[in-house]
């Protein structure tokens, strides 16, 4: 199901289609991706069956969200290639099972899709939609040293607020925030 479209992208649900599952595995089995996902257990993936499990986790996590929050595929309109994942969801706190009132955006792109502005375009569209729904602030949390994601945060107009440990069970993460344009 398509969630949102931009000039170049289709943000849609990940599916259990073999091509989607193969792409999930291809993205999340890569050390250059997994190294920044310290808060995600089971990374990097080592068996393609883990893609099915990861898809189910995402689907279960967002089943009651009515499409407002989710973990979606970023599909390039022109080619049909799935560039990666974009997400919008309540941030987990400490303990991680307890959700906070803070909303997070994030992205994980395949290396073949780096440098095209897809993360900025996808996350920017989701942020605009969420601000229109009344959310006042949106956060991004980034592993220390992940300069590429920090650059995306800056392109999204987010301000760096330092390292925080109140999200993801106490992991020390670089935190960025953007306030709604009309706030």
């Amino acid at each position: 199901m398509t969630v949102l479209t931009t000039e170049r992208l289709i943000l849609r649900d990940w599916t259990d289609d073999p091509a989607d599952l193969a792409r999930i595995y291809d993205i999340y089995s890569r050390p250059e991706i997994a190294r920044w996902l310290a808060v995600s257990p089971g990374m990097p993936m080592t068996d393609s069956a883990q893609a099915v499990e990861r898809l189910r986790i995402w689907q279960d996590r967002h089943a009651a969200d009515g499409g407002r929050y989710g973990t979606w595929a970023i599909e390039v309109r022109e080619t049909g290639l799935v560039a990666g994942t974009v997400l919008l969801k309540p941030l987990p706190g400490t303990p991680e099972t307890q959700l906070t009132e803070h909303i997070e955006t994030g992205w994980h792109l395949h290396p073949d899709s780096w440098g095209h502005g897809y993360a900025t375009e996808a996350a920017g569209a989701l942020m605009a939609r969420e601000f229109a729904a009344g959310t006042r602030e949106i956060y991004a949390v980034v592993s220390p040293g992940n300069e590429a994601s920090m650059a995306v945060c800056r392109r999204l107009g987010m301000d760096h607020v330092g390292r925080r440990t109140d999200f993801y069970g106490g992991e020390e993460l670089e935190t960025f925030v953007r306030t709604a344009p009309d706030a």
Side-chain angles (χ1 to χ4, degrees):
M1 169 176 159
T2 298
V3 175
L4 196 61
T5 59
T6 69
E7 183 179 329
R8 300 183 302 156
L9 305 173
I10 299 168
L11 309 184
R12 63 165 177 82
D13 290 333
W14 281 105
T15 71
D16 59 3
D17 180 273
D20 270 8
L21 293 172
R23 192 64 168 174
I24 290 169
Y25 179 71
D26 191 16
I27 293 168
Y28 294 101
S29 65
R30 293 175 172 274
E32 64 266 38
I33 304 297
R35 69 183 281 208
W36 304 119
L37 303 176
V39 296
S40 294
M43 297 292 169
M45 291 180 180
T46 56
D47 184 298
S48 60
Q50 290 174 290
V52 175
E53 180 182 330
R54 181 59 49 183
L55 175 62
R56 297 293 173 250
I57 289 169
W58 293 336
Q59 290 171 334
D60 291 348
R61 178 184 299 150
H62 303 296
D65 294 334
R68 181 170 183 177
Y69 304 122
T71 304
W72 299 290
I74 304 168
E75 184 176 313
V76 180
R77 281 179 186 255
E78 187 176 301
T79 64
L81 176 72
V82 174
T85 300
V86 65
L87 60 90
L88 187 76
K89 65 183 180 112
L91 267 161
T94 304
E96 235 179 293
T97 55
Q98 181 175 332
L99 298 179
T100 71
E101 73 279 1
H102 301 295
I103 303 302
E104 172 190 21
T105 190
W107 46 86
H108 315 133
L109 272 68
H110 190 284
D112 66 13
S113 296
W114 291 350
H116 299 280
Y118 298 146
T120 305
E121 187 173 332
L126 285 174
M127 289 173 66
R129 185 183 79 167
E130 187 64 14
F131 285 138
T135 294
R136 308 313 301 152
E137 293 181 325
I138 298 175
Y139 289 81
V141 291
V142 179
S143 292
N146 187 343
E147 296 299 328
S149 280
M150 288 185 232
V152 171
C153 291
R154 289 188 292 275
R155 284 192 294 276
L156 288 168
M158 302 181 100
D159 295 317
H160 183 244
V161 294
R163 290 189 181 183
R164 289 178 63 165
T165 58
D166 50 341
F167 303 130
Y168 286 101
E171 184 82 20
E172 186 176 70
L173 298 165
E174 301 289 352
T175 305
F176 293 77
V177 66
R178 180 168 170 200
T179 303
D182 60 348

